Amino acid sequence: MSSTAADPWRPSALADEVVTAYLRRLGLDPMAERAERPSVAQLHRLHAAHVERVPYETVWIALGERRELDPVAAAGYLVAGRGGYCYQLNGAFSALLTTLGYPVTWHRAGVQGQPGDSVGDSGNHLALTTVLDGQGWWLDTGLGDGPLDPVPLVAGAFGPDDRFRLRPSDSVPGGWRFDHEPGGSFAGMDFSTAATGPTSDLRDKHVELSTSPTSGMVRVVTAQRRTPTGVQGIRGLVLSERPVAGSATVRQLSGYAEWRAVLREVFHLPLDDVPEERLRQVWQRIEADHAAWERDRRS
């Protein structure tokens, strides 16, 4: 599948019942949102609600689930009370926005984990843009601790205390670079302005990230979300909370029951559709991985 600037690939619209359930998952009034014409105010409302209420999470990978690179299927996961990583979160969001009348474009992107890591649009991330009244906007509900709100495609600092920055990419000709805030979970992200779709190379990257033993998504079970007051995250059995201003707090979860409660109450991830035995197996793996990490740290 390919796309061109003249005829970019667009996600399919969602069925009415899926849109209704999706908007309810975001804590929004389905009738009011569907009646409203696309606007900057609505775009901000939808984006912020998505980032707050639908977590970036890799529990599904630890459960051994497999997912396709399909935005309609991704919306089904979210409606069922699940989260996902960038391909599902941004994929589903693109389908929701398309259904509500927004012209959404997919872009090949690449997250740079640490400052010394390679940069460029490697395909390990999916970015979105839309255009309203002649103004382009970068949208991203799939970064975990990325921006809460959509970002105008204008170079400069933005976000709380101007802690983020958007600028022309040094590695992607004509593309954009997002420089994360100090203390963020990754260094930055580059994305191309060329339109793309669920191409074979993105599918291959999705399979690699969700199945390879060397993938960070496979190795560490995580959940993360941004709120207006800061960022909350779990890595393994460690819960962290980083406010917009002030110092982060980090603590170890006491056991399986607290892990489940935190996923449900903090990250809006009830996992009621998963057999208890499978979830306990994931927790046992998390405990074993943490114990191995502690041994390595002491040696």
Side-chain angles (χ1 to χ4, degrees):
M1 184 180 298
S2 63
S3 55
T4 66
D7 183 27
W9 176 88
R10 301 291 188 197
S12 300
L14 301 174
D16 288 348
E17 62 272 17
V18 175
V19 175
T20 296
Y22 200 148
L23 291 169
R24 285 177 178 157
R25 174 90 196 273
L26 301 185
L28 302 173
D29 182 339
M31 290 186 63
E33 298 299 339
R34 299 201 70 169
E36 184 172 337
R37 294 173 59 85
S39 67
V40 172
Q42 184 187 51
L43 188 65
H44 275 73
R45 187 166 60 248
L46 292 167
H47 194 284
H50 207 292
V51 171
E52 286 189 66
R53 297 177 69 90
V54 184
Y56 178 102
E57 55 95 359
T58 62
V59 179
W60 64 276
I61 296 176
L63 288 167
E65 297 176 359
R66 297 291 179 264
R67 297 182 177 183
E68 299 297 324
L69 202 67
D70 173 28
V72 175
Y77 306 140
L78 272 56
V79 165
R82 297 297 202 91
Y85 62 4
C86 65
Y87 302 119
Q88 289 94 46
L89 300 178
N90 280 338
F93 193 49
S94 72
L96 175 65
L97 291 178
T98 295
T99 309
L100 295 177
Y102 291 83
V104 184
T105 303
W106 283 25
H107 302 276
R108 183 184 178 90
V111 169
Q112 179 190 24
Q114 301 297 325
D117 293 345
S118 61
V119 296
D121 55 342
S122 64
N124 71 2
H125 186 67
L126 168 66
L128 307 175
T129 62
T130 191
V131 178
L132 284 174
D133 300 326
Q135 172 64 59
W137 294 84
W138 166 46
L139 317 170
D140 213 314
T141 64
L143 285 171
D145 64 343
L148 183 68
D149 297 302
V151 180
L153 285 172
V154 178
F158 67 95
D161 300 325
D162 287 341
R163 293 165 67 88
F164 300 134
R165 185 170 183 82
L166 189 66
R167 59 180 173 85
S169 173
D170 296 326
S171 58
V172 181
W176 289 94
R177 167 74 177 190
F178 165 59
D179 291 320
H180 208 333
E181 65 183 326
S185 65
F186 59 95
M189 186 270 292
D190 294 274
F191 65 98
S192 170
T193 54
T196 190
T199 55
S200 59
D201 57 338
L202 284 184
R203 289 193 184 96
D204 290 345
K205 182 61 72 171
H206 168 50
V207 170
E208 175 190 341
L209 291 174
S210 60
T211 64
S212 171
T214 62
S215 168
M217 314 295 184
V218 175
R219 294 171 61 192
V220 183
V221 184
T222 65
Q224 198 172 38
R225 73 184 189 113
R226 179 174 289 279
T227 73
T229 59
V231 175
Q232 297 169 308
I234 297 179
R235 284 183 59 83
L237 51 71
V238 176
L239 174 66
S240 64
E241 300 187 65
R242 176 163 49 89
V244 171
S247 301
T249 60
V250 179
R251 68 179 180 86
Q252 185 171 314
L253 299 178
S254 61
Y256 173 75
E258 187 182 18
W259 179 65
R260 286 294 312 279
V262 168
L263 288 177
R264 180 184 300 107
E265 296 163 14
V266 176
F267 295 96
H268 308 287
L269 193 64
L271 297 170
D272 292 335
D273 59 324
V274 181
E276 181 82 3
E277 180 182 358
R278 288 291 299 115
L279 288 169
R280 286 190 177 277
Q281 288 171 352
V282 171
W283 175 252
Q284 290 166 3
R285 175 203 144 178
I286 290 171
E287 287 187 308
D289 288 347
H290 187 83
W293 175 78
E294 289 279 13
R295 288 193 300 270
D296 290 344
R297 189 179 64 164
R298 289 194 298 266
S299 62

